[in-house]
């Protein structure tokens, strides 16, 4: 699959099989996180891998949709903002969340290539996430995704036309 096919194939999967994710495929997904670029190569992130079996109730407090716990695994990208690059010279903008998004996108695309489904989740309860993942101070949950084999299929992609999104100046 070339890159164009891969990005066309990826979609938000909202129905999963309970089938386990083979360790080799999980390894590929996590390796994609490891090689992701981060600002100044600070790598200010942690990926939490949660097995959903038996933890459905507490995970539902993190994100309430039933499909969240259908997949055998849930991944969470957390940042360690104190380790992140900050644009100190100008406005002190912290790039930790940008790094987290790149890490998640790498994992999501690696998963799609491996035939696995994912769905970006930002609408989770951060306090519940801290509790379930037992996050220490200084580690911030940024994004979740289930990871498992899909039982649904892609819908047509609704996107703005390029003319609305691109300014050539
Ligand atoms: C940063 C981010 C956060 C998102 N959060 C959620 C979420 O909390 N729940 C959800 O069901 N989908 C979430 N999505 C999925 C988007 O709704 C989805 O990517 C978008 O509608 C495009 O559809 P597609 O992923 O199938 O191409 C999120 C996507 C992104 C990029």
């Amino acid at each position: 699959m070339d890159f164009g096919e891969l990005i066309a194939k990826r979609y938000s999967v909202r129905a999963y099989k309970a089938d386990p994710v083979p360790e080799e495929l999980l390894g590929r997904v996590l390796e994609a996180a490891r090689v992701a670029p981060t600002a100044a190569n600070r790598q200010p992130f942690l990926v939490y891998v949660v097995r959903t079996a038996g933890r459905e109730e507490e995970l539902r407090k993190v994100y309430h949709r039933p499909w969240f716990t259908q997949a055998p695994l849930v991944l969470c990208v957390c940042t360690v903002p104190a380790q992140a690059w900050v644009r100190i010279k100008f406005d002190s903008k912290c790039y930790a969340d940008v790094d987290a998004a790149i890490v998640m996108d790498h994992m999501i695309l690696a998963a799609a290539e491996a035939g696995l489904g994912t769905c970006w989740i930002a609408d989770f309860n951060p306090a519940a996430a801290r509790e379930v993942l037992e996050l220490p101070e200084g580690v911030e949950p940024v994004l979740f995704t289930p990871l498992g084999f899909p039982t649904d299929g892609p819908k047509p992609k609704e996107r703005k036309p390029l003319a609305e999104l691109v300014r050539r100046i």
Side-chain angles (χ1 to χ4, degrees), residues 44-48 76-81 96 100 103 133 135 139-144:
F45 70 90
L46 292 165
V47 179
Y48 282 71
C76 178
V77 177
C78 295
T79 56
V80 186
V103 167
L133 301 177
L135 296 183
V139 178
E140 301 298 327
V142 179
L143 291 158
F144 278 85

Side-chain angles (χ1 to χ4, degrees), residues 7 10-14 63 65 67 101 118-124 143-144 154-159:
I7 57 174
R10 188 224 49 91
Y11 69 98
S12 290
V13 173
R14 297 192 177 91
Y63 189 65
R65 303 273 178 203
W67 46 265
T118 56
C119 184
W120 291 77
I121 294 169
D123 190 22
F124 62 88
L143 291 158
F144 278 85
K155 299 190 189 89
K157 288 207 183 295
E158 288 171 23
R159 298 293 194 263

Side-chain angles (χ1 to χ4, degrees), residues 16-30:
Y16 294 88
K17 295 180 191 167
D19 299 5
V21 172
E23 201 55 37
E24 197 263 323
L25 297 190
L26 175 62
R28 276 198 241 168
V29 170
L30 297 177

Side-chain angles (χ1 to χ4, degrees), residues 33 35-45 85 95 98-100 102-103:
V35 301
T38 53
N41 201 21
R42 292 287 183 86
Q43 303 165 64
F45 70 90
W85 181 75
Y95 270 72
V98 175
D99 292 339
I102 295 167
V103 167

